[in-house]
Amino acid sequence: MSDRAELYPPQRLAAAQRAMTRAGLDALLITPGSGLRYLTGYHAHALERLTCLVLPRHGTPTLIVPTLERAAAEASPAPATGLRIVDHADGTDPYPLVLRALEGPVVAVGLDNHMWAEQVLALRATLPQVNQRLAGDVLRELRMCKTPAEVAALREAGAAIDAVHARMTQWLRPGRTEAEVGADIANAIRETGHAVVDFVIVAAGPNAASPHHETSGRVIEAGDPVVVDIGGTMPSGYCSDSTRTYVAGGTPDPEFLAYYEVLHAAQRAAVAAVRPGVTAEAVDAAARDVITDAGYGAAFLHRTGHGIGLDTHEEPYVVTGNTLPLEPGMAFSIEPGIYLAGRHGARIEDIVVCTADGVERLNTTPTELAPL
Ligand code: ZN
Ligand code: ZN
């Protein structure tokens, strides 16, 4: 996935300008992160020095960068979008450059959802009469439906994380600590082509009942259910995220075996429910109903899934109350879980894409409970 022009097409700025008009915003101010990368292909690090894309509804977009970052910005796909790059030297105030780049009076601007507070407040001082809103209101609708090139990048990420799960028997066994296993997994995430290890959860025994446990010094015991939830970012910028629950030898608690079957059926039901026109909350219900009917509804502590792309968690969220109808190209996780506090837990997670007539799973390692 090296064709950056396909992944980051230059016409996204124009699409954002059209969406801005619909949203009643006069400009977007986008700082380093997934929004900037999505719009321009420029992968910048957030610094105390201001880097900011100023995208007025009409007119020429401007990328404001620190002087020392100018060469990196020029080498990125950003110049192909037709934006101009202006830089500010250390010791100078960059905020007048924002004012100039707006090219006229504005009433409402959309700020990057993850902009640092110090920059938000500096912009408030620079533009005291201007309404500050969230740029995510505009970018959400653009980013939710992936292009075929983006789906290909997510498919590549899915295959890479699947290759890590496929090697789990090498590392996961009784007598080792969660942290030791996690370190081996992190190395493998890099070896399978990820540029960044985003998270490694190895949650054994009672720790498996805590959905966002990371790793600890707990020694894995025979018969422990072990939730392994792992993900990283590929050089393309797109993310992987997949969970499997293993049993590290021995015989697990019979109740675990019973509810794992329920969870497995729930995860399959939710995947099977995905097709265009079905709402996000209906996919959540497809998993939740199976778990609730089996008496474990209160043990399913979270939503069924989240969108994924340049961020691991983005829209659309597969959650009760989200009446958004699915469209082809929407990519998200299906990850129901059952957690019994103080005892054990389980989660199964695949990334899926809504297709023209159904669903494609981007993670294809088996979901049946297999002894290691
Ligand atoms: Zn996950
Ligand atoms: Zn996830």
Side-chain angles (χ1 to χ4, degrees):
M1 188 49 58
S2 55
D3 190 347
R4 295 192 302 177
E6 256 204 329
L7 263 183
Y8 300 104
Q11 59 271 26
R12 281 188 182 148
L13 291 179
Q17 286 173 314
R18 289 192 296 276
M20 220 187 296
T21 305
R22 293 194 292 276
L25 289 172
D26 300 304
L28 298 185
L29 305 177
I30 306 295
T31 42
S34 59
L36 183 64
R37 196 167 189 181
Y38 177 80
L39 288 171
T40 69
Y42 181 36
H43 178 39
H45 295 287
L47 302 166
E48 75 289 0
R49 296 179 172 105
L50 183 71
T51 291
C52 185
L53 170 69
V54 179
L55 180 61
R57 194 199 307 184
H58 306 290
T60 307
T62 302
L63 181 60
I64 297 167
V65 298
T67 302
L68 79 167
E69 304 291 343
R70 182 170 188 124
E74 286 176 342
S76 80
T81 64
L83 55 68
R84 67 177 157 235
I85 297 176
V86 301
D87 62 275
H88 57 92
D90 284 351
T92 62
D93 179 4
Y95 289 92
L97 297 177
V98 176
L99 209 50
R100 200 171 313 149
L102 287 170
E103 296 186 348
V106 290
V107 174
V109 296
L111 305 185
D112 193 291
N113 285 37
H114 302 290
M115 184 181 282
W116 289 7
E118 62 188 35
Q119 296 164 342
V120 173
L121 295 182
L123 286 167
R124 179 166 291 297
T126 305
L127 303 162
Q129 307 301 328
V130 172
N131 281 328
Q132 295 183 332
R133 287 168 45 195
L134 291 176
D137 295 347
V138 168
L139 296 182
R140 175 187 304 126
E141 60 171 295
L142 303 181
R143 289 178 57 175
M144 254 189 319
C145 287
K146 271 62 181 179
T147 63
E150 290 182 284
V151 172
L154 285 168
R155 195 180 287 122
E156 183 185 53
I161 209 70
D162 282 357
V164 179
H165 274 296
R167 291 172 57 192
M168 204 57 63
T169 51
Q170 295 177 22
W171 314 304
L172 188 57
R173 54 181 178 269
R176 303 194 77 205
T177 67
E178 293 172 350
E180 286 167 347
V181 174
D184 288 337
I185 291 172
N187 287 334
I189 290 174
R190 287 186 205 91
E191 285 165 16
T192 51
H194 293 85
V196 181
V197 179
D198 290 324
F199 53 90
V200 176
I201 295 173
V202 181
N207 292 336
S210 171
H212 278 171
H213 176 81
E214 292 185 342
T215 61
S216 75
R218 186 182 195 280
V219 176
I220 296 166
E221 295 172 16
D224 270 353
V226 186
V227 172
V228 177
D229 185 352
I230 52 180
T233 304
M234 299 293 282
S236 64
Y238 286 79
C239 298
S240 66
D241 183 6
S242 178
T243 309
R244 292 291 182 264
T245 301
Y246 300 91
V247 174
T251 308
D253 181 346
E255 186 174 9
F256 167 81
L257 293 173
Y259 73 70
Y260 189 89
E261 290 309 309
V262 172
L263 180 67
H264 189 232
Q267 205 262 355
R268 288 166 74 121
V271 171
V274 174
R275 62 182 179 278
V278 169
T279 62
E281 68 173 1
V283 176
D284 180 85
R288 198 167 303 279
D289 289 352
V290 173
I291 292 172
T292 302
D293 288 351
Y296 289 100
F300 182 7
L301 301 173
H302 51 72
R303 65 191 174 214
T304 292
H306 53 82
I308 188 167
L310 291 169
D311 285 320
T312 308
H313 288 196
E314 58 180 52
E315 305 264 358
Y317 291 99
V318 183
V319 63
T320 307
N322 187 359
T323 57
L324 179 82
L326 299 180
E327 292 177 42
M330 288 183 177
F332 46 88
S333 69
I334 302 279
E335 51 175 310
I338 293 177
Y339 310 96
L340 302 191
R343 295 176 63 195
H344 36 62
R347 181 164 65 257
I348 303 170
E349 175 179 27
D350 291 323
I351 303 303
V352 303
V353 182
C354 182
T355 63
D357 56 1
V359 63
E360 177 186 352
R361 278 173 70 207
L362 300 187
N363 298 108
T364 55
T365 51
T367 50
E368 292 82 8
L369 195 62
L372 290 174

